[in-house]
Structures are given as C-alpha cells and as structure tokens.
Amino acid sequence: MTKQEKSLTMTVLMTPDMANFSGNVHGGSLLKLLDQVAYACAAKYCKKYVVTAALDQVFFKQQVNVGELVTFYAHVNYVGRSSMEIGVKVFAEDLRTDEKRHTTSCYFTMVAMDEHGQTVEVPRLQLDNEVEKRLYEAAQMRKKMRQESLERNRALHVELLKDEL
C-alpha cells in the first residue's frame, strides 16, 4: 500500500497589498490563502479536482501583521465517499525576533469532482497513528454538528420576495 499524502505546508510573506485599513493583514486575504491551502492539501491527497463545500470554526486568535512570514499547516482529518475535512493551523513569524504565534485555525470540507461536475469517490483514509485516529474522531463529531446545524438552518429559512425587502 502506498503512503498517502495527508499533510501540506505552505509559507507566504504577508505584503502591504494584503493589509486592511488598520494596517494588519485583512481577514479576507487570510481566508483566500486558507482556501488555497485546503484545496492543495485535498487535491494532493485524492489526485482529483476539488471544490470547497463548507468552511467552519474559523478562529482568528491573533492579528497577522504585514511583513510577517505566515505558515499554513493543513492535514486531511476525515474522508467520506467524496468529501474530505481539511484542518488548517496558521502560525505567523516575526522575522526580526523569530517569535512565532498561532494565529488562526479552521476546518474546510472539500469535495472531489470529475470533469462534468459530478462528485467522485476518494481513497479511504489510512489512520497511521493515535494522533490521526483522534483527528478522525473529532472530525466525525464536527461532521455531525455541521449536518445538525444545516438542518436547523433549513427549518429557520424564510423565503423573502423581492418586494418584501
């Protein structure tokens, strides 16, 4: 059995074009990078084109500053038939002091697609150690919570007509 590519690391220098009005890195700039990292991790794992189905539990723990080197650590935590949960942790490093801070964490649900836009099956996830087993179990719980939340939101949905806005 071949070794699965379940993890990915990407490092990016935060530049002035990523800044918000306060001069820190804009959350939207980080979200775009997070999505790219999750895409790369999932696509590398399953060797298919993938799309983002959900993003949850985004925690911006600390601001990220322009000029910092930011490293994204992504890992495939869970695999369903065509979907994968990718956990991403972000660390910012001040290049002048070498100080490293955990700034952001989140979970993406990515879905493998074929060239016709249909979901395709992905390889089963091999759990090689206790950490991966714990990540898998936690991801199963998050999947259940996402499904319950989606059902509650559907029940709360109110259809608004254009003239009611």
Side-chain angles (χ1 to χ4, degrees), residues 32-160:
K32 181 177 181 186
L33 289 167
L34 285 161
D35 189 57
Q36 291 171 353
V37 168
Y39 168 85
C41 184
K44 192 172 181 70
Y45 169 78
C46 70
K47 309 295 188 234
K48 307 261 188 248
Y49 175 70
V50 298
V51 296
T52 304
L55 166 60
D56 55 63
Q57 296 187 21
V58 181
F59 297 109
F60 294 107
K61 299 171 184 278
Q62 295 185 28
Q63 72 185 32
V64 176
N65 302 306
V66 170
E68 290 185 311
L69 196 61
V70 173
T71 303
F72 300 81
Y73 297 97
H75 187 78
V76 179
N77 294 334
Y78 173 85
V79 170
R81 189 190 78 75
S82 62
S83 67
M84 297 152 277
E85 183 194 88
I86 311 299
V88 185
K89 255 187 173 175
V90 181
F91 288 83
E93 178 182 356
D94 184 319
L95 295 172
R96 295 165 296 171
T97 65
D98 290 331
E99 177 196 359
K100 293 179 180 79
R101 302 172 293 111
H102 177 199
T103 63
T104 313
S105 292
C106 64
Y107 300 95
F108 280 83
T109 301
M110 308 300 286
V111 177
M113 309 292 276
D114 67 15
E115 58 277 357
H116 305 291
Q118 301 300 309
T119 61
V120 293
E121 201 166 328
V122 296
R124 299 295 105 213
L125 185 62
Q126 300 166 16
L127 304 176
D128 296 326
N129 55 51
E130 284 305 311
V131 171
E132 288 184 350
K133 289 175 187 172
R134 288 178 49 210
L135 290 170
Y136 184 87
E137 290 168 3
Q140 282 182 308
M141 291 173 60
R142 281 188 296 274
K143 180 181 179 182
K144 184 178 180 194
M145 289 188 304
R146 276 190 293 273
Q147 289 169 334
E148 290 169 356
S149 178
L150 185 59
E151 288 172 20
R152 284 193 305 276
N153 280 324
R154 284 184 181 142
L156 295 171
H157 180 75
V158 175
E159 190 68 39
L160 292 177

